[in-house]
Amino acid sequence: MSGTKPDILWAPHQVDRFVVCDSELSLYHVESTVNSELKAGSLRLSEDSAATLLSINSDTPYMKCVAWYLNYDPECLLAVGQANGRVVLTSLGQDHNSKFKDLIGKEFVPKHARQCNTLAWNPLDSNWLAAGLDKHRADFSVLIWDICSKYTPDIVPMEKVRLSAGETETTLLVTKPLYELGQNDACLSLCWLPRDQKLLLAGMHRNLAIFDLRNTSQKMFVNTKAVQGVTVDPYFHDRVASFYEGQVAIWDLRKFEKPVLTLTEQPKPLTKVAWCPTRTGLLATLTRDSNIIRLYDMQHTPTPIGDETEPTIIERSVQPCDNYIASFAWHPTSQNRMIVVTPNRTMSDFTVFERISLAWSPITSLMWACGRHLYECTEEENDNSLEKDIATKMRLRALSRYGLDTEQVWRNHILAGNEDPQLKSLWYTLHFMKQYTEDMDQKSPGNKGSLVYAGIKSIVKSSLGMVESSRHNWSGLDKQSDIQNLNEERILALQLCGWIKKGTDVDVGPFLNSLVQEGEWERAAAVALFNLDIRRAIQILNEGASSEKGDLNLNVVAMALSGYTDEKNSLWREMCSTLRLQLNNPYLCVMFAFLTSEAGSYDGVLYENKVAVRDRVAFACKFLSDTQLNRYIEKLTNEMKEAGNLEGILLTGLTKDGVDLMESYVDRTGDVQTASYCMLQGSPLDVLKDERVQYWIENYRNLLDAWRFWHKRAEFDIHRSKLDPSSKPLAQVFVSCNFCGKSISYSCSAVPHQGRGFSQYGVSGSPTKSKVTSCPGCRKPLPRCALCLINMGTPVSSCPGGTKSDEKVDLSKDKKLAQFNNWFTWCHNCRHGGHAGHMLSWFRDHAECPVSACTCKCMQLDTTGNLVPAETVQP
Amino acid sequence: MFVARSIAADHKDLIHDVSFDFHGRRMATCSSDQSVKVWDKSESGDWHCTASWKTHSGSVWRVTWAHPEFGQVLASCSFDRTAAVWEEIVGESNDKLRGQSHWVKRTTLVDSRTSVTDVKFAPKHMGLMLATCSADGIVRIYEAPDVMNLSQWSLQHEISCKLSCSCISWNPSSSRAHSPMIAVGSDDSSPNAMAKVQIFEYNENTRKYAKAETLMTVTDPVHDIAFAPNLGRSFHILAIATKDVRIFTLKPVRKELTSSGGPTKFELHIVAQFDNHNSQVWRVSWNITGTVLASSGDDGCVRLWKANYMDNWKCTGILKGNGSPVNGSSQQGNSNPSLGSNIPSLQNSLNGSSAGRKHN
């Protein structure tokens, strides 16, 4: 410690106190500020701690080093080594009546004055204080004082007392040390060895020396330059660190000839090296002019005994503050906590964290290990659904049978939580597609049906060059607009958009009514207007304004609408084109855009991105010529594909284009669930066989398996095999007869030519069922059940496990159970088996196989088999 | 958003790794105390340690589960220069009744001359394969040709990385369009500016792993690396724990555009870079869908990262290492305000480019 740079020390016992020393000693008290505000006058040390100054002691000038008395003392007794070699005991307490009263102010004076470099209290004999001093040719450099010893005036040479000439209380001077060591040498650092009370390790001028106080004539030493800052690992008493310039040497006292390890050299000289008192093998080092504390986590250091392993040291650096650090101190008990002080005496309190390792479980919970502890963290259930991750969403949707409603296809978006407009649009599209495919197939079985699932893009393309426009009258207005004549394809497109219903009727009335019912007045009004019915539009808006949930402003809009004039340069037109952009609702906005647009140019409507794609497409089908329409649909399709917007499935249908679109959707969201179910809704086989589609399906099945949603996975597979029969797995197991080696399966289709009368062994209901105890091939008897000892193939008469009670409760369930009880089961390991029902009831109470002398633990062999499907656990 | 609870781990020294099995019902931990513990989750959601045994003669760095299709199989790697494969068996003793299961060592992989720093089973579709990496800079890929016999492992490939390896990650994609791929990170701390992440890809023609990509921008020591579960995406996502959290995407350039047979070419984009951990980032882990990334770092916190629909990654949760919540004031790192203000602009530009790629 130099005079200008502050040093810092934690109190060894009062763990909330520390002292900062430069030219004076300042005692601080640390408080947690987690649950309280920062008190006036206290200094913030970290986010959750602050320090208050308790007292200042400036009695001891020329401080060179400070050491805290190791026994518990409420008065904070400190030893201070001074520039003249004297060691003074001082206190930071206010109470001068303590038991240490006699000690305070005591001075220990060496024969010759020179700088005191280091102080060390003996950890076992608390009265022993070792002081290390600079070299003097006629004196010793290591002096061990007993702080309780009395004044001995006759030994003190007169010139040594000169420095304290003004003092009257000479009884406080002690000049006779207990031990004197290291003659004509310098001592730079000291530490007591915990192995024995009388062993002292000293960093001398050019060597490290171990002094044994039991025999002071002997010392063990090793020549080295690394003599500064000797310190013993508190967890490993043979391990010592010392340093020289930028290099730290680690020593093993059992093999003291050379360092077992030297750490990578720092470019700047080190100022402090300290072992962490709360953790094994963690060494902190500090260099001059640095704001970084380097930590060496010594997982393994070489030992003199055992094999020569290379060291594993994890090097870390922490940056407790922005300024250079003057000194630091580990907290004696708080795990990995330290306090640092900068040259201008700002302090900060921080903790060095252990490396946390972590892992996600498949069921969105996070586990991590910090130090020796494990923490598990689960997502709270009552979360806002918008913030939920797709993993959670997919899990919940799988539980709610999302995607499996194949009749009312649109309902799937409600199963998905009714929260995502894109999903809503998607499932409505798929619903309409399914509906009109069926419709088409009824009308003309054959070609057109597949076209529906190919999307509006293909539908529109197929009708190229057949449509002419005609002028139509506005209802309620003296105005005419060009509207395309609707051919079959355009009608189909409008149907898919949901504007018109099944049949040849092109009336949007029912659609408007349903929109009004759902409270979508703006959209309804816009659709009415696009069908040239301004009166209906106004009426709808009025209705909306007067309804409970509606917006009163709709009346104002209705008013504005009613003022419509066809004149090109009217004020109405001018104001509408500018003010419409300020309308928040996109549908209100496009209504005015439509009214103010030039004939044939509807960009204000077509490119308003906030308007649903289906409405824009329907609008385009009504107003655009074939070439325009094609160009528009093409452009919109590409836009949707780029963005992965599910509304675009309306355009692409379930085609290769649709797969492209879905690919961007999956890339963006990871929602393979929607992708799988959507593609399984009615894609042609070649689309279904697309590598990407197969890959989504595979990934989704894998997810369900990981979640143990095995029932859901099975349901999904059934659903899938309806559209893609090739995905059906082949029969997995054949049981073959011991004698003839043929399958004993009763399925006639599997073995069609199995000899005469095979069908008499047929499945349930057959009167001969009870006789089926022999192989259908060779008529030899089947093996016996290990429990009832009756040949397999007999129905299980009773089950001691207690299924009887269920019999009356649920007949159908019991029937199924009874059939399952009849199943052949056997252990793959010991090859013993029997009726499934008997086996199950046996293993309810036993671990070992029922066959005598077989110790196979059949039921425990398969860990996955013992897992319960998650669906049955879920609420 | 998240609540944490503590579990009495009872390890005698630092825990180095936590790993879940495929179903998330079992967990393995390993520690400097040279042991591995296996935990089973009860129906009530509590974890019970069902096995604890000494696995190595040094710190155990990593532990990992094989797919349950191959049985209840664990692999561990250690400072003692070995990796080991363990299998749970139902023994003759009545351990199971006492709630304890029995694990036996099936093999010890002794090829490394130095500490084995990571071990990972390959994705299921590749069969029973295992990759290890070691401080001597070699990635080794082993295969059990007979999945019924876990004591036979043959060393199939040795890939030299030239740098001390710290972590590996298999690309989990099972798509036929993607070749087997493994990413390797190095924690080499020597001050040379060499790239610390290399990606190797299996070439069907040469039957060898060849370097497909080197992340030139990652020059600081890498402590962990993780491919996100692919989940049907057309590209791969790679998270890297170095002096900050980095997320890269690797989009394979369509095969027909490249010369067939050669390594796949990738469009490499960095989509996120966060230095909120202030200093070193130690671990990264993806959730099952690859949509949420958890990271841990020197600030002693666990942070969660998630992308919004614009592919804009944001921090969605912070937890302290001891499970306590972080109070709002400290969400922005306190040590370096200037960096804190730089990152948003960097983020914007990054996201701007990626958003542009997607939506224009």
Coordinates of all heavy atoms in Angstrom, one line a residue, chain A residues 279 299-300 312 316 322 353 355-357 360 362 367-368 371-372 374-378 380 389 642 663 667 670 672 695-696 698 705 857 863, chain B residues 3-5 7 13 15 22-23 32 47 72 79 93 173-175 230-232 234 282 285-287 291 296 298-300 306 321 335 358:
Chain A
R279 N -14.8 -19.8 -1.8 CA -14.9 -20.7 -2.9 C -13.5 -21.3 -3.1 O -12.5 -20.6 -3.1 CB -15.3 -19.9 -4.1 CG -15.0 -20.4 -5.4 CD -16.2 -21.2 -6.0 NE -16.2 -20.9 -7.4 CZ -15.4 -21.4 -8.3 NH1 -14.4 -22.2 -7.8 NH2 -15.5 -21.2 -9.5
Q299 N -9.4 -25.1 -11.6 CA -10.1 -26.3 -11.5 C -9.1 -27.4 -11.1 O -9.4 -28.3 -10.4 CB -10.7 -26.6 -12.9 CG -11.8 -25.6 -13.3 CD -13.1 -25.8 -12.6 OE1 -13.3 -26.9 -12.1 NE2 -14.0 -24.8 -12.6
H300 N -8.0 -27.4 -11.7 CA -7.0 -28.4 -11.5 C -5.6 -27.7 -11.5 O -5.3 -27.1 -12.5 CB -7.0 -29.5 -12.5 CG -8.2 -30.3 -12.5 ND1 -8.4 -31.4 -11.7 CD2 -9.4 -30.1 -13.1 CE1 -9.6 -31.9 -11.9 NE2 -10.3 -31.1 -12.7
T312 N -5.8 -26.9 -15.4 CA -7.0 -26.3 -16.0 C -7.3 -25.1 -15.2 O -7.7 -25.2 -14.1 CB -8.2 -27.3 -15.9 OG1 -7.8 -28.5 -16.3 CG2 -9.3 -26.8 -16.8
R316 N -10.9 -15.5 -16.1 CA -12.0 -14.6 -16.3 C -11.6 -13.2 -15.9 O -10.7 -13.0 -15.2 CB -13.2 -14.9 -15.4 CG -13.8 -16.2 -15.7 CD -14.8 -16.6 -14.7 NE -16.0 -15.6 -14.6 CZ -16.9 -15.8 -13.7 NH1 -16.9 -16.7 -12.9 NH2 -17.9 -14.9 -13.8
D322 N -15.9 1.7 -13.9 CA -15.2 2.3 -15.0 C -13.8 2.8 -14.7 O -13.0 2.9 -15.6 CB -16.1 3.4 -15.6 CG -17.4 2.9 -16.2 OD1 -17.4 1.7 -16.5 OD2 -18.3 3.7 -16.3
F353 N -20.0 -13.8 -10.3 CA -21.0 -14.8 -10.4 C -20.3 -16.1 -10.9 O -19.4 -16.0 -11.7 CB -22.1 -14.4 -11.3 CG -22.9 -13.3 -10.7 CD1 -22.7 -12.0 -11.1 CD2 -23.9 -13.6 -9.8 CE1 -23.4 -11.0 -10.5 CE2 -24.6 -12.6 -9.2 CZ -24.4 -11.3 -9.6
R355 N -20.3 -19.4 -13.2 CA -20.8 -19.6 -14.6 C -22.1 -20.4 -14.5 O -22.1 -21.5 -13.9 CB -19.7 -20.3 -15.4 CG -18.5 -19.5 -15.6 CD -17.6 -20.1 -16.6 NE -17.2 -21.4 -16.3 CZ -16.7 -22.2 -17.2 NH1 -16.4 -21.8 -18.4 NH2 -16.3 -23.4 -16.9
I356 N -23.1 -19.9 -15.1 CA -24.4 -20.5 -15.0 C -24.5 -21.4 -16.3 O -24.3 -21.0 -17.4 CB -25.5 -19.5 -15.0 CG1 -25.4 -18.6 -13.7 CG2 -26.9 -20.2 -15.1 CD1 -26.3 -17.4 -13.7
S357 N -24.8 -22.7 -16.0 CA -25.1 -23.5 -17.2 C -26.6 -23.7 -17.2 O -27.3 -23.7 -16.2 CB -24.4 -24.9 -17.1 OG -24.9 -25.6 -16.0
W360 N -33.1 -25.7 -21.6 CA -34.6 -25.7 -21.7 C -35.1 -27.1 -21.7 O -34.6 -28.0 -22.4 CB -35.0 -25.1 -23.1 CG -34.9 -23.6 -23.2 CD1 -33.9 -22.8 -23.7 CD2 -35.9 -22.7 -22.7 NE1 -34.3 -21.5 -23.6 CE2 -35.5 -21.4 -23.0 CE3 -37.2 -22.8 -22.1 CZ2 -36.2 -20.3 -22.7 CZ3 -37.9 -21.7 -21.8 CH2 -37.5 -20.4 -22.1
P362 N -38.3 -29.5 -22.9 CA -39.3 -29.4 -24.0 C -40.6 -28.7 -23.6 O -41.3 -28.1 -24.4 CB -39.6 -30.8 -24.4 CG -38.5 -31.6 -23.8 CD -38.0 -30.9 -22.6
M367 N -34.1 -24.7 -16.8 CA -33.3 -25.2 -15.6 C -31.9 -24.6 -15.7 O -31.3 -24.6 -16.8 CB -33.3 -26.7 -15.6 CG -32.6 -27.3 -14.4 SD -33.6 -27.3 -12.9 CE -34.8 -28.5 -13.3
W368 N -31.4 -24.0 -14.6 CA -30.0 -23.6 -14.7 C -29.3 -24.0 -13.4 O -29.9 -24.1 -12.3 CB -29.9 -22.2 -15.0 CG -30.2 -21.2 -14.0 CD1 -29.5 -20.7 -13.0 CD2 -31.5 -20.5 -13.9 NE1 -30.1 -19.8 -12.3 CE2 -31.4 -19.6 -12.8 CE3 -32.7 -20.5 -14.6 CZ2 -32.4 -18.8 -12.4 CZ3 -33.7 -19.7 -14.2 CH2 -33.6 -18.8 -13.2
G371 N -23.4 -22.2 -9.5 CA -22.6 -22.8 -8.4 C -23.0 -24.2 -8.1 O -22.9 -25.0 -8.9
R372 N -23.4 -24.4 -6.8 CA -23.8 -25.8 -6.5 C -25.3 -26.0 -6.5 O -25.9 -26.9 -6.0 CB -23.3 -26.1 -5.1 CG -21.9 -26.8 -5.2 CD -21.2 -26.7 -3.8 NE -20.4 -25.5 -3.6 CZ -19.9 -25.2 -2.5 NH1 -20.0 -25.9 -1.4 NH2 -19.2 -24.1 -2.4
L374 N -29.4 -25.6 -8.1 CA -30.2 -25.8 -9.3 C -31.4 -24.9 -9.2 O -32.0 -24.8 -8.1 CB -30.6 -27.2 -9.5 CG -29.7 -28.2 -10.1 CD1 -30.3 -29.6 -10.0 CD2 -29.4 -27.9 -11.5
Y375 N -31.8 -24.3 -10.2 CA -33.0 -23.5 -10.2 C -33.9 -23.9 -11.4 O -33.4 -24.0 -12.5 CB -32.7 -22.0 -10.3 CG -31.9 -21.5 -9.1 CD1 -30.5 -21.5 -9.2 CD2 -32.5 -21.1 -8.0 CE1 -29.7 -21.1 -8.1 CE2 -31.7 -20.7 -6.9 CZ -30.4 -20.7 -7.0 OH -29.6 -20.3 -5.9
E376 N -35.2 -24.0 -11.2 CA -36.1 -24.3 -12.2 C -37.0 -23.1 -12.4 O -37.5 -22.5 -11.4 CB -36.9 -25.5 -12.0 CG -37.7 -25.9 -13.1 CD -38.6 -27.2 -12.9 OE1 -39.0 -27.4 -11.7 OE2 -38.9 -27.9 -13.9
C377 N -37.3 -22.8 -13.6 CA -38.1 -21.6 -13.9 C -39.2 -22.0 -14.9 O -38.9 -22.5 -16.0 CB -37.2 -20.6 -14.4 SG -38.0 -19.1 -14.8
T378 N -40.4 -21.8 -14.6 CA -41.5 -22.2 -15.5 C -42.3 -20.9 -15.9 O -42.5 -20.0 -15.1 CB -42.5 -23.2 -14.8 OG1 -42.3 -23.1 -13.4 CG2 -42.2 -24.5 -15.3
E380 N -45.4 -18.7 -16.4 CA -46.7 -18.7 -15.7 C -47.8 -18.9 -16.6 O -47.8 -18.4 -17.7 CB -46.8 -17.4 -14.9 CG -46.2 -17.4 -13.5 CD -46.3 -16.1 -12.8 OE1 -47.3 -15.4 -13.0 OE2 -45.3 -15.7 -12.2
D389 N -45.0 -17.7 -26.4 CA -44.2 -18.2 -27.4 C -44.9 -19.2 -28.3 O -45.9 -19.9 -27.8 CB -42.9 -18.8 -26.8 CG -41.9 -19.2 -27.9 OD1 -41.6 -18.3 -28.7 OD2 -41.6 -20.4 -28.0
E642 N -43.6 -13.4 -50.1 CA -42.4 -12.8 -49.5 C -42.6 -12.7 -48.0 O -41.8 -13.0 -47.2 CB -42.1 -11.4 -50.1 CG -41.4 -11.5 -51.4 CD -40.0 -11.8 -51.2 OE1 -39.3 -11.3 -50.3 OE2 -39.5 -12.7 -51.9
E663 N -43.7 -21.7 -46.5 CA -42.3 -21.8 -46.1 C -41.9 -20.5 -45.5 O -41.2 -20.5 -44.4 CB -41.4 -22.1 -47.3 CG -40.0 -22.3 -47.0 CD -39.1 -22.6 -48.2 OE1 -39.5 -22.3 -49.3 OE2 -38.0 -23.2 -48.0
D667 N -40.7 -20.1 -41.7 CA -39.4 -19.4 -41.4 C -39.6 -18.3 -40.4 O -38.7 -18.1 -39.5 CB -38.8 -18.8 -42.7 CG -38.2 -19.9 -43.6 OD1 -38.1 -21.0 -43.1 OD2 -37.7 -19.6 -44.7
G670 N -42.1 -20.4 -37.1 CA -41.9 -21.7 -36.6 C -43.1 -22.5 -36.4 O -43.1 -23.6 -35.7
V672 N -45.0 -25.0 -37.3 CA -45.2 -26.1 -38.2 C -46.5 -26.8 -38.0 O -47.0 -27.5 -38.9 CB -44.1 -27.2 -37.9 CG1 -42.8 -26.8 -38.6 CG2 -43.9 -27.5 -36.5
Y695 N -41.3 -32.5 -44.3 CA -40.4 -32.1 -43.2 C -41.2 -31.3 -42.1 O -40.9 -31.6 -40.9 CB -39.3 -31.2 -43.8 CG -38.2 -30.8 -42.9 CD1 -37.6 -31.8 -42.1 CD2 -37.7 -29.5 -42.8 CE1 -36.6 -31.5 -41.2 CE2 -36.7 -29.2 -41.9 CZ -36.2 -30.2 -41.1 OH -35.2 -29.9 -40.3
W696 N -42.2 -30.5 -42.5 CA -43.0 -29.9 -41.5 C -43.7 -30.9 -40.7 O -43.8 -30.9 -39.4 CB -44.0 -28.9 -42.1 CG -43.3 -27.7 -42.8 CD1 -42.1 -27.2 -42.5 CD2 -43.8 -27.0 -43.9 NE1 -41.8 -26.2 -43.4 CE2 -42.8 -26.1 -44.3 CE3 -45.0 -27.1 -44.7 CZ2 -43.0 -25.2 -45.4 CZ3 -45.1 -26.3 -45.8 CH2 -44.1 -25.3 -46.1
E698 N -43.1 -34.0 -40.2 CA -42.1 -34.8 -39.4 C -41.8 -34.0 -38.1 O -41.7 -34.5 -37.0 CB -40.9 -35.0 -40.2 CG -39.9 -35.9 -39.6 CD -38.6 -35.9 -40.4 OE1 -38.6 -36.0 -41.6 OE2 -37.5 -35.8 -39.7
D705 N -44.4 -35.9 -30.0 CA -43.7 -37.0 -29.2 C -43.0 -36.5 -28.0 O -43.0 -37.0 -26.9 CB -42.8 -37.7 -30.2 CG -43.6 -38.7 -31.0 OD1 -44.7 -39.1 -30.7 OD2 -43.0 -39.1 -32.1
K857 N -37.0 -58.4 -14.7 CA -37.9 -57.3 -14.2 C -38.6 -56.7 -15.5 O -38.3 -55.6 -15.9 CB -37.2 -56.3 -13.5 CG -36.5 -57.0 -12.3 CD -36.0 -56.0 -11.3 CE -35.5 -56.7 -10.0 NZ -34.8 -55.9 -9.1
T863 N -38.1 -47.7 -20.0 CA -38.3 -46.5 -19.2 C -39.4 -45.6 -19.9 O -40.3 -45.0 -19.3 CB -37.1 -45.7 -19.0 OG1 -36.0 -46.5 -18.6 CG2 -37.2 -44.6 -17.9
Chain B
V3 N -41.2 -17.4 -13.1 CA -40.9 -17.6 -11.7 C -39.9 -18.7 -11.5 O -40.0 -19.7 -12.2 CB -42.1 -17.8 -10.8 CG1 -42.9 -16.5 -10.5 CG2 -43.0 -18.8 -11.5
A4 N -39.0 -18.5 -10.6 CA -37.9 -19.5 -10.4 C -38.0 -20.1 -9.1 O -38.4 -19.5 -8.1 CB -36.5 -18.9 -10.6
R5 N -37.7 -21.4 -9.0 CA -37.7 -22.1 -7.7 C -36.4 -22.9 -7.6 O -35.8 -23.3 -8.6 CB -38.9 -22.9 -7.4 CG -39.0 -24.1 -8.3 CD -40.4 -24.6 -8.2 NE -40.6 -25.7 -9.2 CZ -40.5 -27.0 -8.9 NH1 -40.2 -27.3 -7.7 NH2 -40.6 -27.9 -9.8
I7 N -33.9 -25.9 -6.3 CA -33.9 -27.4 -6.1 C -32.6 -27.8 -5.4 O -31.5 -27.3 -5.8 CB -34.0 -28.1 -7.5 CG1 -35.3 -27.8 -8.2 CG2 -33.8 -29.6 -7.3 CD1 -35.3 -28.1 -9.6
D13 N -19.6 -29.8 -5.5 CA -18.8 -28.7 -6.1 C -19.6 -28.1 -7.3 O -20.7 -28.5 -7.4 CB -17.4 -29.3 -6.7 CG -16.3 -28.3 -6.7 OD1 -16.7 -27.1 -6.8 OD2 -15.2 -28.6 -6.6
I15 N -21.6 -27.1 -10.4 CA -22.3 -27.9 -11.4 C -21.9 -27.3 -12.8 O -22.0 -26.1 -13.0 CB -23.8 -27.8 -11.2 CG1 -24.2 -28.4 -9.9 CG2 -24.5 -28.6 -12.3 CD1 -25.6 -28.2 -9.4
F22 N -35.2 -36.3 -24.0 CA -36.1 -35.9 -25.1 C -37.5 -35.4 -24.6 O -38.1 -34.5 -25.1 CB -36.3 -37.1 -26.0 CG -37.2 -36.9 -27.1 CD1 -36.9 -36.0 -28.2 CD2 -38.4 -37.6 -27.2 CE1 -37.8 -35.9 -29.2 CE2 -39.3 -37.5 -28.2 CZ -39.0 -36.6 -29.3
H23 N -38.0 -36.1 -23.5 CA -39.3 -35.7 -23.0 C -39.3 -34.7 -22.0 O -40.4 -34.2 -21.6 CB -40.0 -37.0 -22.5 CG -40.3 -38.1 -23.5 ND1 -41.1 -37.9 -24.6 CD2 -39.7 -39.3 -23.7 CE1 -41.1 -39.0 -25.3 NE2 -40.3 -39.8 -24.8
S32 N -17.9 -30.6 -10.8 CA -16.5 -30.8 -10.5 C -16.3 -31.8 -9.5 O -15.1 -32.3 -9.3 CB -15.9 -29.5 -10.0 OG -15.4 -28.7 -11.0
W47 N -38.6 -32.7 -8.7 CA -37.5 -33.5 -9.2 C -36.9 -34.3 -8.1 O -36.6 -33.8 -7.0 CB -36.4 -32.5 -9.7 CG -36.8 -31.9 -11.0 CD1 -37.3 -30.6 -11.2 CD2 -36.7 -32.5 -12.3 NE1 -37.6 -30.4 -12.5 CE2 -37.3 -31.5 -13.2 CE3 -36.3 -33.7 -12.8 CZ2 -37.4 -31.7 -14.6 CZ3 -36.4 -33.9 -14.2 CH2 -36.9 -32.9 -15.1
Q72 N -32.1 -45.7 -22.4 CA -31.8 -44.6 -21.5 C -30.2 -44.5 -21.4 O -29.6 -45.3 -20.7 CB -32.3 -44.9 -20.1 CG -33.9 -45.0 -20.1 CD -34.5 -43.6 -20.5 OE1 -34.1 -42.6 -19.9 NE2 -35.3 -43.6 -21.5
F79 N -12.4 -33.7 -17.6 CA -11.0 -33.2 -17.6 C -10.1 -34.4 -17.6 O -8.9 -34.2 -18.0 CB -10.8 -32.4 -16.3 CG -9.4 -32.0 -16.0 CD1 -8.8 -31.0 -16.8 CD2 -8.7 -32.7 -15.1 CE1 -7.5 -30.7 -16.5 CE2 -7.4 -32.4 -14.9 CZ -6.8 -31.3 -15.6
S93 N -30.4 -56.0 -7.9 CA -30.8 -55.5 -6.6 C -32.2 -54.8 -6.7 O -32.7 -54.6 -7.7 CB -29.8 -54.4 -6.2 OG -29.8 -53.3 -7.1
S173 N -31.3 -30.4 -37.9 CA -32.2 -30.6 -39.0 C -32.1 -32.1 -39.5 O -31.1 -32.6 -39.8 CB -31.8 -29.7 -40.2 OG -32.5 -30.0 -41.3
S174 N -33.3 -32.6 -39.7 CA -33.4 -34.0 -40.3 C -33.8 -33.9 -41.7 O -34.1 -35.0 -42.3 CB -34.3 -34.8 -39.5 OG -35.6 -34.3 -39.5
S175 N -33.9 -32.7 -42.3 CA -34.3 -32.6 -43.7 C -33.3 -33.3 -44.6 O -32.1 -33.1 -44.4 CB -34.5 -31.1 -44.0 OG -34.6 -31.0 -45.4
N230 N -34.5 -27.0 -35.7 CA -34.8 -26.5 -37.0 C -36.2 -26.2 -37.3 O -36.6 -25.2 -37.9 CB -34.2 -27.4 -38.1 CG -34.4 -26.9 -39.4 OD1 -35.5 -27.2 -40.0 ND2 -33.5 -26.1 -40.0
L231 N -37.1 -27.1 -36.8 CA -38.6 -26.9 -36.9 C -39.1 -26.5 -38.3 O -39.9 -25.5 -38.4 CB -39.0 -25.8 -35.9 CG -40.4 -26.1 -35.3 CD1 -40.3 -27.2 -34.3 CD2 -40.9 -24.9 -34.6
G232 N -38.6 -27.1 -39.3 CA -39.1 -26.9 -40.6 C -38.7 -25.6 -41.3 O -39.1 -25.3 -42.4
S234 N -36.3 -23.1 -43.4 CA -35.5 -23.3 -44.6 C -34.0 -22.9 -44.3 O -33.1 -23.1 -45.1 CB -36.0 -22.6 -45.8 OG -36.0 -21.2 -45.5
W282 N -21.6 -17.2 -21.0 CA -21.1 -18.6 -20.8 C -21.9 -19.7 -21.5 O -21.4 -20.6 -22.0 CB -21.1 -18.9 -19.3 CG -20.1 -18.0 -18.6 CD1 -20.4 -17.1 -17.6 CD2 -18.7 -18.0 -18.7 NE1 -19.3 -16.4 -17.2 CE2 -18.2 -17.0 -17.9 CE3 -17.8 -18.7 -19.5 CZ2 -16.8 -16.7 -17.8 CZ3 -16.4 -18.4 -19.4 CH2 -16.0 -17.4 -18.6
S285 N -28.9 -21.5 -24.8 CA -29.7 -22.7 -24.9 C -31.0 -22.3 -25.6 O -31.6 -21.3 -25.2 CB -30.0 -23.3 -23.6 OG -31.0 -24.3 -23.7
W286 N -31.5 -23.1 -26.6 CA -32.7 -22.8 -27.3 C -33.9 -23.6 -26.7 O -33.7 -24.7 -26.3 CB -32.6 -23.2 -28.8 CG -31.6 -22.3 -29.6 CD1 -30.4 -22.6 -29.9 CD2 -31.9 -21.1 -30.1 NE1 -29.8 -21.6 -30.6 CE2 -30.8 -20.7 -30.8 CE3 -33.1 -20.3 -30.2 CZ2 -30.7 -19.4 -31.5 CZ3 -33.0 -19.1 -30.8 CH2 -31.8 -18.7 -31.5
N287 N -35.1 -23.0 -26.8 CA -36.2 -23.8 -26.4 C -36.6 -24.7 -27.6 O -35.9 -24.7 -28.6 CB -37.4 -22.8 -26.1 CG -38.0 -22.2 -27.3 OD1 -37.4 -22.1 -28.3 ND2 -39.2 -21.7 -27.2
T291 N -37.3 -20.6 -30.8 CA -37.8 -19.3 -30.9 C -37.4 -18.4 -29.7 O -37.5 -17.2 -29.8 CB -39.4 -19.3 -31.0 OG1 -39.9 -20.2 -30.1 CG2 -39.8 -19.7 -32.4
S296 N -26.6 -17.1 -20.4 CA -26.1 -16.7 -19.0 C -24.7 -16.1 -19.2 O -24.0 -16.5 -20.1 CB -26.0 -18.0 -18.1 OG -25.0 -18.8 -18.6
D298 N -21.5 -13.3 -17.3 CA -20.7 -12.8 -16.2 C -21.5 -11.9 -15.2 O -21.1 -11.6 -14.1 CB -19.5 -12.1 -16.7 CG -18.2 -12.9 -16.5 OD1 -18.3 -13.9 -15.8 OD2 -17.2 -12.5 -17.0
D299 N -22.6 -11.3 -15.7 CA -23.4 -10.5 -14.8 C -24.2 -11.3 -13.9 O -25.0 -10.8 -13.1 CB -24.3 -9.5 -15.7 CG -25.3 -10.3 -16.5 OD1 -25.1 -11.5 -16.7 OD2 -26.2 -9.7 -17.0
G300 N -24.1 -12.6 -14.0 CA -24.8 -13.5 -13.0 C -26.3 -13.6 -13.3 O -27.0 -14.0 -12.5
K306 N -35.9 -13.2 -27.7 CA -37.0 -13.7 -28.6 C -37.1 -12.7 -29.7 O -36.9 -11.5 -29.6 CB -38.3 -13.7 -27.8 CG -39.5 -14.3 -28.5 CD -40.6 -14.5 -27.5 CE -41.9 -14.7 -28.2 NZ -42.0 -15.5 -29.3
G321 N -29.1 -15.1 -11.2 CA -28.6 -16.5 -11.0 C -29.2 -17.2 -9.8 O -29.4 -18.4 -9.8
S335 N -22.6 -0.7 -16.0 CA -21.2 -0.4 -16.0 C -20.8 0.4 -17.2 O -19.9 1.1 -17.2 CB -20.4 -1.7 -16.0 OG -20.6 -2.4 -17.2
K358 N -36.7 -9.8 -45.9 CA -37.9 -10.5 -45.8 C -39.1 -9.8 -46.5 O -39.9 -10.5 -47.1 CB -38.3 -10.7 -44.4 CG -37.5 -11.8 -43.7 CD -38.3 -13.0 -43.6 CE -37.4 -14.2 -43.3 NZ -36.9 -14.2 -41.9

